[in-house]
Amino acid sequence: MARKKPLVVVTRKLPDKIETRMRELFDARLNVDDVPMTQAQLAEAMATADVLVPAICDRIDSAVIEAAGPSLKLIANFGNGVDHIDVAAANARGIAITNTPGVLTEDTADMTMALILAVPRRLTEGAALITSDDGTWPGWSPMWMLGHRIWGKRLGIIGMGRIGQAVARRARAFGLQIHYHNRRPLPAHIEEELEATYWDSLDQMLARMDILSINCPHTPATFHLLSARRLKLVRPDAYIVNTARGEVIDEHALIRMIENGELAGAGLDVFEREPAVSPKLLKLARAGKVVLLPHMGSATVEARIDTGEKVIVNIKAFMDGHRPPDRVLPAML
């Protein structure tokens, strides 16, 4: 007799290629309408499924995990970050967690570089002017839409993992000087390749950079890593770019400093209270002080397919009695 397929509940719409493969391998319940599940629906799914496949928009807190039935043994996250999952609570219940590291690196680094270019050079502000209906653009003139060059500037990367290193490689090609803060220095050969300067003191690095790029994960240790106190250390002519997690910055303090001219501007692909975006940030965007994007750093067809394939590998390995390649443990966070 054929072995019963595991019941896999997928919380959001995934690429057709991935959903089709999931249906072939598992008893997959798909969310074809892509309507976000409520906390009650997530708890109901946990009560019946063998595997839950959530995304970053799903809050898998201790209450949802407490609702897990005896058959639920794996939460195979669709994405790298697991800050939306109570990993400790899941571990206490004997539920394994997996993620999908590595597949978003190049796409997120591309978007980071795009924001590093867009903010100092006023790209979105210029695009809005050229497409406006009020005839704002009178034609080229020497003093029109002046921004700042990035060549020769100092870029401080906060978090030098896969994405931080990919950003550094791109930034070097644009003539930026690479500096970084990390929990520990990079191996000497990588530091030499990137021509990167390590700062063990984040405070000291912040005070010396022209552009700051946040590329660290959101963990309890990095919540408001750029606090109001630390933001005060940043030079008033500097720019901040964040494609990691909104919670890493004290957003209220950031807004206040840009409003007061204590920071030159910011490029944000993530926000502290997603999907809500502060009205004050929207006002700053209309004034050309910030560039805002709707969490699209990894939004490529290739990334979504690669992520889905990693999810399938993790589920298949786990169900076959093997250690999944991307197991997440509380000690890793």
Side-chain angles (χ1 to χ4, degrees):
M1 292 179 62
R3 188 174 63 173
K4 182 178 178 291
K5 292 181 178 180
L7 174 57
V8 176
V9 176
V10 183
T11 66
R12 297 302 295 263
K13 179 79 177 73
L14 303 182
D16 288 346
K17 177 180 178 180
I18 298 303
E19 291 185 337
T20 301
R21 187 61 179 146
M22 283 187 168
R23 290 297 297 270
E24 291 170 349
L25 293 172
F26 318 123
D27 177 11
R29 294 186 184 175
L30 308 175
N31 185 349
V32 294
D33 296 324
D34 203 29
V35 177
M37 296 174 72
T38 65
Q39 293 303 105
Q41 289 170 327
L42 287 169
E44 182 181 352
M46 294 278 283
T48 58
D50 298 304
V51 179
L52 183 75
V53 180
I56 186 176
C57 47
D58 302 308
R59 184 162 52 89
I60 313 299
D61 56 19
S62 58
V64 169
I65 290 169
E66 191 61 34
S71 62
L72 195 288
K73 296 299 181 186
L74 175 64
I75 298 174
N77 188 53
F78 185 87
N80 185 36
V82 293
D83 48 303
H84 57 298
I85 301 172
D86 191 329
V87 177
N91 189 64
R93 286 288 304 272
I95 300 170
I97 308 289
T98 60
N99 66 344
T100 60
V103 297
L104 311 179
T105 299
E106 303 306 329
D107 302 298
T108 305
D110 284 346
M111 191 61 76
T112 303
M113 199 66 224
L115 286 171
I116 289 172
L117 286 164
V119 181
R121 292 303 305 273
R122 304 172 66 179
L123 296 188
T124 59
E125 190 181 354
L129 285 168
I130 201 72
T131 56
S132 66
D133 296 326
D134 59 3
T136 302
W137 187 44
W140 184 90
S141 67
M143 299 303 292
W144 181 257
M145 288 298 296
L146 297 185
H148 291 277
R149 72 163 60 119
I150 66 168
W151 186 91
K153 298 297 194 296
R154 292 186 175 92
L155 171 66
I157 298 174
I158 302 171
M160 203 62 145
R162 294 184 185 92
I163 295 173
Q165 291 175 44
V167 170
R169 290 186 177 94
R170 286 159 173 76
R172 280 190 61 222
F174 281 85
L176 286 152
Q177 299 176 38
I178 308 302
H179 296 251
Y180 74 101
H181 170 78
N182 210 34
R183 286 182 293 181
R184 60 187 65 89
L186 293 172
H189 70 281
I190 298 178
E191 198 170 83
E192 183 177 350
E193 174 205 344
L194 299 176
E195 298 180 15
T197 300
Y198 174 66
W199 294 83
D200 59 354
S201 167
L202 176 58
D203 287 6
Q204 289 186 26
M205 186 182 82
L206 291 176
R208 293 166 169 84
M209 297 298 109
D210 302 298
I211 303 169
L212 291 160
S213 176
I214 298 173
N215 299 106
C216 61
H218 172 223
T219 67
T222 63
F223 176 76
H224 281 191
L225 182 66
L226 286 193
S227 60
R229 178 192 70 80
R230 281 204 168 110
L231 287 170
K232 287 286 186 183
L233 301 174
V234 180
R235 292 166 42 178
D237 58 350
Y239 300 92
I240 294 177
V241 168
N242 188 8
T243 57
R245 287 291 186 268
E247 294 89 343
V248 178
I249 302 180
D250 182 336
E251 197 170 276
H252 287 305
L254 177 74
I255 291 169
R256 185 169 59 251
M257 290 185 67
I258 296 173
E259 287 176 335
N260 295 337
E262 297 171 291
L263 279 174
L268 307 176
D269 186 44
V270 289
F271 306 93
E272 190 168 351
R273 294 168 184 84
E274 287 187 26
V277 180
S278 167
K280 292 184 177 180
L281 275 177
L282 297 176
K283 184 178 179 181
L284 287 171
R286 289 190 288 269
K289 296 293 186 181
V290 298
V291 175
L292 308 179
L293 297 176
H295 202 145
M296 55 188 286
S298 63
T300 68
V301 172
E302 295 86 352
R304 297 294 184 251
I305 291 174
D306 290 348
T307 301
E309 288 176 345
K310 276 218 168 205
V311 169
I312 290 171
V313 168
N314 282 318
I315 297 173
K316 192 75 171 60
F318 185 85
M319 289 302 170
D320 288 344
H322 304 297
R323 179 184 175 86
D326 302 307
R327 180 81 181 267
V328 176
L329 299 172
M332 298 166 61
L333 304 176

